[in-house]
Amino acid sequence: VQLQASGGGLVQTGGSLRLSCTASGRALSTLTMAWFRQASGREREPVAAVNKEGRMTTYADSVKGRFTISRDNANNQVFLQMYNLQPEDTAVYYCAASGGIRRPLDRMTELNYDTWGQGTLVTVSS
């Protein structure tokens, strides 16, 4: 499977962005999907994850109530809707896919994902 992320950009504090991740080469319905982010000088961290059917989602505490992950399996896409963006949300955002995750607890662990998109930069100005 190959992943292509898009939708990043420059936004002011309090603004919104919607990231998209398009999968090719494999049906999205067979994959657990997630978004991670990496700020300059920091380690990559999980943001949100969604199970294969799209019924169960998990969020990092820092984005709960502001970000929403969703998926459209028919069109092989995953989205991250981001509201009330803050300067600390500035990072390169990566979508990731895994065919082997079984436990909800594992959805937010980077090592469990074996396919990554190229990243899209989100910059939030203060």
Side-chain angles (χ1 to χ4, degrees), residues 3 29 36 46 73 75-77 86 98 110-111 118 120 124:
L3 304 175
S29 60
F36 289 76
N73 285 347
N75 290 300
N76 268 14
Q77 289 186 301
Q86 302 296 312
S98 173
E110 181 177 345
L111 289 177
Q118 85 286 5
T120 184
V124 184

Side-chain angles (χ1 to χ4, degrees), residues 44-123:
R44 190 154 56 186
E45 62 179 6
V47 175
V50 60
N51 74 336
K52 296 175 183 179
E53 297 81 11
R55 296 172 186 161
M56 298 181 67
T57 57
T58 310
Y59 296 93
D61 288 343
S62 59
V63 306
K64 280 180 182 177
R66 300 189 299 122
F67 291 10
T68 300
I69 188 171
S70 62
R71 62 192 297 158
D72 179 355
N73 285 347
N75 290 300
N76 268 14
Q77 289 186 301
V78 177
F79 306 101
L80 186 68
Q81 178 67 56
M82 304 183 293
Y83 295 104
N84 191 22
L85 283 160
Q86 302 296 312
E88 54 265 34
D89 296 316
T90 295
V92 177
Y93 284 71
Y94 300 88
C95 59
S98 173
I101 291 177
R102 297 290 181 266
R103 302 184 305 171
L105 189 64
D106 294 335
R107 289 193 205 113
M108 297 289 271
T109 302
E110 181 177 345
L111 289 177
N112 292 326
Y113 289 87
D114 49 23
T115 303
W116 295 81
Q118 85 286 5
T120 184
L121 176 63
V122 172
T123 304

